[in-house]
Short mmCIF file of all heavy atoms in Angstrom, two decimals:
data_model
loop_
_atom_site.label_atom_id
_atom_site.label_comp_id
_atom_site.label_asym_id
_atom_site.label_seq_id
_atom_site.Cartn_x
_atom_site.Cartn_y
_atom_site.Cartn_z
N PRO A 555 100.51 107.96 91.74
CA PRO A 555 100.71 106.58 91.30
C PRO A 555 99.44 106.03 90.65
O PRO A 555 98.38 106.63 90.75
CB PRO A 555 101.01 105.85 92.61
CG PRO A 555 100.19 106.57 93.63
CD PRO A 555 100.21 108.02 93.18
N SER A 556 99.56 104.88 90.05
CA SER A 556 98.40 104.22 89.43
C SER A 556 97.48 103.69 90.53
O SER A 556 97.86 102.80 91.29
CB SER A 556 98.86 103.07 88.54
OG SER A 556 97.77 102.24 88.21
N GLY A 557 96.29 104.25 90.59
CA GLY A 557 95.31 103.79 91.59
C GLY A 557 94.83 102.38 91.32
O GLY A 557 94.60 101.60 92.25
N HIS A 558 94.64 102.04 90.04
CA HIS A 558 94.24 100.67 89.69
C HIS A 558 95.28 99.67 90.20
O HIS A 558 94.92 98.64 90.78
CB HIS A 558 94.11 100.52 88.17
CG HIS A 558 92.84 101.02 87.58
ND1 HIS A 558 92.53 102.36 87.51
CD2 HIS A 558 91.81 100.35 87.01
CE1 HIS A 558 91.35 102.48 86.92
NE2 HIS A 558 90.89 101.28 86.60
N SER A 559 96.55 99.98 89.96
CA SER A 559 97.63 99.07 90.38
C SER A 559 97.72 98.99 91.90
O SER A 559 97.86 97.90 92.47
CB SER A 559 98.97 99.54 89.81
OG SER A 559 98.91 99.60 88.41
N ALA A 560 97.63 100.13 92.57
CA ALA A 560 97.75 100.16 94.02
C ALA A 560 96.62 99.38 94.68
O ALA A 560 96.86 98.53 95.55
CB ALA A 560 97.76 101.61 94.52
N ALA A 561 95.39 99.64 94.28
CA ALA A 561 94.25 98.94 94.88
C ALA A 561 94.32 97.44 94.59
O ALA A 561 94.07 96.61 95.47
CB ALA A 561 92.94 99.53 94.35
N SER A 562 94.67 97.10 93.36
CA SER A 562 94.73 95.69 92.98
C SER A 562 95.76 94.93 93.79
O SER A 562 95.50 93.83 94.28
CB SER A 562 95.03 95.56 91.48
OG SER A 562 93.98 96.10 90.72
N PHE A 563 96.92 95.51 93.98
CA PHE A 563 97.96 94.81 94.73
C PHE A 563 97.70 94.82 96.22
O PHE A 563 98.02 93.85 96.92
CB PHE A 563 99.35 95.32 94.36
CG PHE A 563 99.89 94.62 93.15
CD1 PHE A 563 99.57 95.07 91.88
CD2 PHE A 563 100.65 93.48 93.27
CE1 PHE A 563 100.01 94.39 90.75
CE2 PHE A 563 101.10 92.78 92.15
CZ PHE A 563 100.78 93.24 90.88
N ALA A 564 97.10 95.87 96.75
CA ALA A 564 96.73 95.87 98.17
C ALA A 564 95.77 94.72 98.46
O ALA A 564 95.96 93.95 99.40
CB ALA A 564 96.11 97.21 98.55
N ALA A 565 94.74 94.61 97.63
CA ALA A 565 93.74 93.55 97.83
C ALA A 565 94.34 92.17 97.59
O ALA A 565 94.10 91.23 98.37
CB ALA A 565 92.57 93.79 96.89
N ALA A 566 95.12 92.02 96.52
CA ALA A 566 95.68 90.71 96.19
C ALA A 566 96.66 90.23 97.25
O ALA A 566 96.70 89.03 97.57
CB ALA A 566 96.35 90.76 94.81
N VAL A 567 97.44 91.14 97.82
CA VAL A 567 98.38 90.75 98.88
C VAL A 567 97.62 90.27 100.11
O VAL A 567 97.99 89.26 100.72
CB VAL A 567 99.33 91.93 99.22
CG1 VAL A 567 100.04 91.72 100.55
CG2 VAL A 567 100.35 92.12 98.10
N VAL A 568 96.55 90.95 100.47
CA VAL A 568 95.74 90.50 101.61
C VAL A 568 95.15 89.12 101.31
O VAL A 568 95.19 88.23 102.16
CB VAL A 568 94.64 91.52 101.97
CG1 VAL A 568 93.68 90.96 103.01
CG2 VAL A 568 95.26 92.82 102.47
N LEU A 569 94.62 88.94 100.12
CA LEU A 569 94.08 87.62 99.76
C LEU A 569 95.15 86.54 99.77
O LEU A 569 94.91 85.41 100.20
CB LEU A 569 93.42 87.67 98.38
CG LEU A 569 92.03 88.31 98.35
CD1 LEU A 569 91.57 88.51 96.91
CD2 LEU A 569 91.02 87.48 99.11
N PHE A 570 96.35 86.88 99.32
CA PHE A 570 97.45 85.92 99.33
C PHE A 570 97.82 85.54 100.76
O PHE A 570 98.09 84.37 101.04
CB PHE A 570 98.66 86.49 98.59
CG PHE A 570 99.77 85.49 98.43
CD1 PHE A 570 99.72 84.53 97.43
CD2 PHE A 570 100.85 85.50 99.28
CE1 PHE A 570 100.74 83.60 97.28
CE2 PHE A 570 101.87 84.57 99.14
CZ PHE A 570 101.82 83.62 98.14
N ARG A 571 97.83 86.52 101.65
CA ARG A 571 98.16 86.25 103.05
C ARG A 571 97.04 85.46 103.74
O ARG A 571 97.28 84.72 104.66
CB ARG A 571 98.42 87.55 103.81
CG ARG A 571 99.61 88.35 103.32
CD ARG A 571 100.90 87.62 103.48
NE ARG A 571 101.11 87.27 104.86
CZ ARG A 571 102.21 87.51 105.55
NH1 ARG A 571 103.22 88.11 104.98
NH2 ARG A 571 102.30 87.15 106.81
N CYS A 572 95.82 85.64 103.27
CA CYS A 572 94.67 84.92 103.81
C CYS A 572 94.76 83.44 103.43
O CYS A 572 94.70 82.56 104.28
CB CYS A 572 93.38 85.52 103.26
SG CYS A 572 91.88 84.54 103.53
N ARG A 573 94.92 83.20 102.14
CA ARG A 573 94.96 81.83 101.63
C ARG A 573 95.59 81.86 100.25
O ARG A 573 95.10 82.53 99.35
CB ARG A 573 93.53 81.29 101.56
CG ARG A 573 93.45 79.85 101.28
CD ARG A 573 92.07 79.35 101.59
NE ARG A 573 91.91 78.05 100.98
CZ ARG A 573 90.80 77.38 100.98
NH1 ARG A 573 89.74 77.87 101.57
NH2 ARG A 573 90.72 76.22 100.41
N ARG A 574 96.66 81.14 100.09
CA ARG A 574 97.41 81.20 98.82
C ARG A 574 96.55 80.80 97.62
O ARG A 574 96.72 81.36 96.54
CB ARG A 574 98.65 80.32 98.90
CG ARG A 574 99.68 80.95 99.77
CD ARG A 574 100.94 80.16 99.81
NE ARG A 574 101.77 80.81 100.83
CZ ARG A 574 103.07 80.89 100.76
NH1 ARG A 574 103.70 80.34 99.75
NH2 ARG A 574 103.74 81.50 101.69
N SER A 575 95.64 79.88 97.81
CA SER A 575 94.82 79.46 96.67
C SER A 575 93.90 80.59 96.21
O SER A 575 93.45 80.59 95.07
CB SER A 575 94.01 78.21 97.01
OG SER A 575 93.11 78.46 98.07
N PHE A 576 93.60 81.56 97.08
CA PHE A 576 92.88 82.77 96.67
C PHE A 576 93.85 83.80 96.11
O PHE A 576 93.53 84.53 95.18
CB PHE A 576 92.17 83.43 97.87
CG PHE A 576 91.06 82.65 98.50
CD1 PHE A 576 90.51 83.09 99.69
CD2 PHE A 576 90.55 81.49 97.93
CE1 PHE A 576 89.47 82.40 100.29
CE2 PHE A 576 89.51 80.80 98.53
CZ PHE A 576 88.98 81.25 99.72
N GLY A 577 95.01 83.87 96.74
CA GLY A 577 95.96 84.93 96.43
C GLY A 577 96.64 84.82 95.08
O GLY A 577 96.90 85.83 94.43
N ILE A 578 96.93 83.62 94.63
CA ILE A 578 97.63 83.47 93.36
C ILE A 578 96.78 83.99 92.19
O ILE A 578 97.26 84.81 91.41
CB ILE A 578 98.11 82.02 93.15
CG1 ILE A 578 99.24 81.73 94.16
CG2 ILE A 578 98.57 81.77 91.72
CD1 ILE A 578 99.66 80.27 94.25
N PRO A 579 95.50 83.57 92.06
CA PRO A 579 94.70 84.17 90.98
C PRO A 579 94.52 85.68 91.16
O PRO A 579 94.47 86.42 90.18
CB PRO A 579 93.35 83.44 91.06
CG PRO A 579 93.57 82.26 91.93
CD PRO A 579 94.77 82.51 92.75
N ALA A 580 94.41 86.12 92.42
CA ALA A 580 94.26 87.56 92.67
C ALA A 580 95.50 88.33 92.23
O ALA A 580 95.39 89.41 91.64
CB ALA A 580 93.98 87.82 94.16
N LEU A 581 96.67 87.78 92.49
CA LEU A 581 97.91 88.45 92.05
C LEU A 581 98.03 88.46 90.53
O LEU A 581 98.50 89.45 89.95
CB LEU A 581 99.13 87.78 92.69
CG LEU A 581 99.32 88.08 94.18
CD1 LEU A 581 100.36 87.14 94.79
CD2 LEU A 581 99.72 89.54 94.39
N ILE A 582 97.59 87.40 89.88
CA ILE A 582 97.60 87.37 88.41
C ILE A 582 96.66 88.45 87.87
O ILE A 582 97.02 89.21 86.96
CB ILE A 582 97.24 85.97 87.89
CG1 ILE A 582 98.36 84.97 88.22
CG2 ILE A 582 96.97 86.00 86.38
CD1 ILE A 582 97.99 83.51 88.01
N LEU A 583 95.46 88.53 88.44
CA LEU A 583 94.52 89.57 88.01
C LEU A 583 95.08 90.96 88.29
O LEU A 583 94.98 91.85 87.44
CB LEU A 583 93.16 89.39 88.69
CG LEU A 583 92.11 90.45 88.34
CD1 LEU A 583 91.84 90.49 86.83
CD2 LEU A 583 90.82 90.19 89.11
N ALA A 584 95.70 91.15 89.44
CA ALA A 584 96.29 92.44 89.78
C ALA A 584 97.37 92.83 88.76
O ALA A 584 97.43 93.98 88.32
CB ALA A 584 96.88 92.41 91.19
N ALA A 585 98.20 91.87 88.38
CA ALA A 585 99.25 92.14 87.38
C ALA A 585 98.64 92.49 86.02
O ALA A 585 99.13 93.40 85.34
CB ALA A 585 100.18 90.94 87.26
N LEU A 586 97.58 91.79 85.64
CA LEU A 586 96.91 92.11 84.37
C LEU A 586 96.29 93.50 84.40
O LEU A 586 96.38 94.26 83.43
CB LEU A 586 95.84 91.06 84.05
CG LEU A 586 96.34 89.71 83.57
CD1 LEU A 586 95.22 88.68 83.54
CD2 LEU A 586 97.00 89.84 82.19
N ILE A 587 95.66 93.85 85.52
CA ILE A 587 95.08 95.18 85.64
C ILE A 587 96.18 96.24 85.57
O ILE A 587 96.03 97.24 84.86
CB ILE A 587 94.26 95.31 86.94
CG1 ILE A 587 92.97 94.47 86.83
CG2 ILE A 587 93.93 96.76 87.26
CD1 ILE A 587 92.18 94.35 88.12
N ALA A 588 97.28 96.02 86.27
CA ALA A 588 98.39 96.97 86.25
C ALA A 588 98.93 97.12 84.82
O ALA A 588 99.14 98.25 84.34
CB ALA A 588 99.50 96.52 87.20
N PHE A 589 99.15 96.01 84.13
CA PHE A 589 99.65 96.09 82.75
C PHE A 589 98.65 96.78 81.83
O PHE A 589 99.05 97.50 80.91
CB PHE A 589 100.01 94.70 82.21
CG PHE A 589 100.55 94.77 80.82
CD1 PHE A 589 101.86 95.17 80.60
CD2 PHE A 589 99.75 94.50 79.72
CE1 PHE A 589 102.37 95.29 79.31
CE2 PHE A 589 100.24 94.61 78.43
CZ PHE A 589 101.55 95.01 78.22
N SER A 590 97.37 96.56 82.07
CA SER A 590 96.36 97.18 81.21
C SER A 590 96.48 98.70 81.20
O SER A 590 96.19 99.35 80.20
CB SER A 590 94.95 96.77 81.64
OG SER A 590 94.53 97.45 82.81
N ARG A 591 96.93 99.28 82.31
CA ARG A 591 97.07 100.73 82.40
C ARG A 591 98.19 101.22 81.47
O ARG A 591 98.10 102.32 80.93
CB ARG A 591 97.32 101.16 83.84
CG ARG A 591 96.30 100.63 84.82
CD ARG A 591 94.87 100.93 84.43
NE ARG A 591 94.56 102.32 84.70
CZ ARG A 591 93.49 102.96 84.28
NH1 ARG A 591 92.60 102.34 83.54
NH2 ARG A 591 93.29 104.22 84.58
N LEU A 592 99.20 100.40 81.27
CA LEU A 592 100.27 100.74 80.32
C LEU A 592 99.77 100.54 78.89
O LEU A 592 99.98 101.41 78.04
CB LEU A 592 101.50 99.84 80.55
CG LEU A 592 102.14 99.91 81.92
CD1 LEU A 592 103.26 98.88 82.02
CD2 LEU A 592 102.65 101.30 82.21
N PHE A 593 99.14 99.40 78.66
CA PHE A 593 98.62 99.10 77.33
C PHE A 593 97.67 100.19 76.84
O PHE A 593 97.69 100.57 75.68
CB PHE A 593 97.89 97.74 77.36
CG PHE A 593 97.35 97.34 76.03
CD1 PHE A 593 98.15 96.63 75.14
CD2 PHE A 593 96.06 97.68 75.63
CE1 PHE A 593 97.66 96.26 73.90
CE2 PHE A 593 95.57 97.33 74.39
CZ PHE A 593 96.37 96.62 73.52
N LEU A 594 96.86 100.71 77.75
CA LEU A 594 95.86 101.72 77.40
C LEU A 594 96.42 103.14 77.35
O LEU A 594 95.69 104.08 77.07
CB LEU A 594 94.67 101.63 78.37
CG LEU A 594 93.93 100.30 78.29
CD1 LEU A 594 92.95 100.17 79.44
CD2 LEU A 594 93.21 100.15 76.95
N PHE A 595 97.71 103.27 77.64
CA PHE A 595 98.42 104.56 77.51
C PHE A 595 97.91 105.61 78.50
O PHE A 595 97.94 106.80 78.25
CB PHE A 595 98.29 105.10 76.06
CG PHE A 595 99.53 105.79 75.56
CD1 PHE A 595 100.59 105.06 75.05
CD2 PHE A 595 99.64 107.16 75.57
CE1 PHE A 595 101.72 105.69 74.57
CE2 PHE A 595 100.77 107.81 75.10
CZ PHE A 595 101.82 107.07 74.59
N VAL A 596 97.43 105.14 79.66
CA VAL A 596 96.92 106.08 80.66
C VAL A 596 97.85 106.23 81.86
O VAL A 596 97.59 107.05 82.73
CB VAL A 596 95.49 105.72 81.12
CG1 VAL A 596 94.51 105.87 79.96
CG2 VAL A 596 95.42 104.33 81.72
N HIS A 597 98.91 105.42 81.90
CA HIS A 597 99.92 105.53 82.96
C HIS A 597 101.30 105.26 82.39
O HIS A 597 101.44 104.47 81.46
CB HIS A 597 99.68 104.52 84.08
CG HIS A 597 98.63 104.92 85.04
ND1 HIS A 597 98.76 105.98 85.91
CD2 HIS A 597 97.41 104.40 85.29
CE1 HIS A 597 97.68 106.09 86.64
NE2 HIS A 597 96.83 105.15 86.27
N TYR A 598 102.28 105.89 83.00
CA TYR A 598 103.68 105.57 82.73
C TYR A 598 104.06 104.32 83.51
O TYR A 598 103.46 104.03 84.56
CB TYR A 598 104.58 106.73 83.17
CG TYR A 598 104.38 108.00 82.40
CD1 TYR A 598 103.61 109.03 82.94
CD2 TYR A 598 104.95 108.18 81.15
CE1 TYR A 598 103.43 110.23 82.24
CE2 TYR A 598 104.77 109.36 80.44
CZ TYR A 598 104.01 110.38 81.00
OH TYR A 598 103.83 111.55 80.31
N PRO A 599 105.09 103.60 83.06
CA PRO A 599 105.55 102.43 83.83
C PRO A 599 105.91 102.78 85.28
O PRO A 599 105.64 102.00 86.19
CB PRO A 599 106.77 101.94 83.05
CG PRO A 599 106.45 102.33 81.63
CD PRO A 599 105.76 103.66 81.75
N THR A 600 106.49 103.95 85.50
CA THR A 600 106.84 104.32 86.88
C THR A 600 105.60 104.58 87.73
O THR A 600 105.62 104.36 88.94
CB THR A 600 107.79 105.53 86.91
OG1 THR A 600 107.28 106.56 86.06
CG2 THR A 600 109.19 105.14 86.46
#
């Protein structure tokens, strides 16, 4: 699987559970990092 996506969402979910005001920007950043892997042609969507 995409390590960038996995690490980003693991961390962002913990931050979201800690405090939503931390978690929402973290989830947005995690989604951007995950999408960047597709944009850069280094991962498949799956």
Side-chain angles (χ1 to χ4, degrees):
S556 166
H558 279 70
S559 302
S562 296
F563 274 85
V567 164
V568 172
L569 282 171
F570 186 80
R571 297 297 302 231
C572 167
R573 190 165 165 185
R574 287 183 187 214
S575 62
F576 294 171
I578 291 170
L581 286 167
I582 292 168
L583 178 58
L586 285 169
I587 289 171
F589 181 77
S590 76
R591 307 307 284 169
L592 301 175
F593 181 88
L594 296 169
F595 217 82
V596 295
H597 280 292
Y598 295 100
T600 48

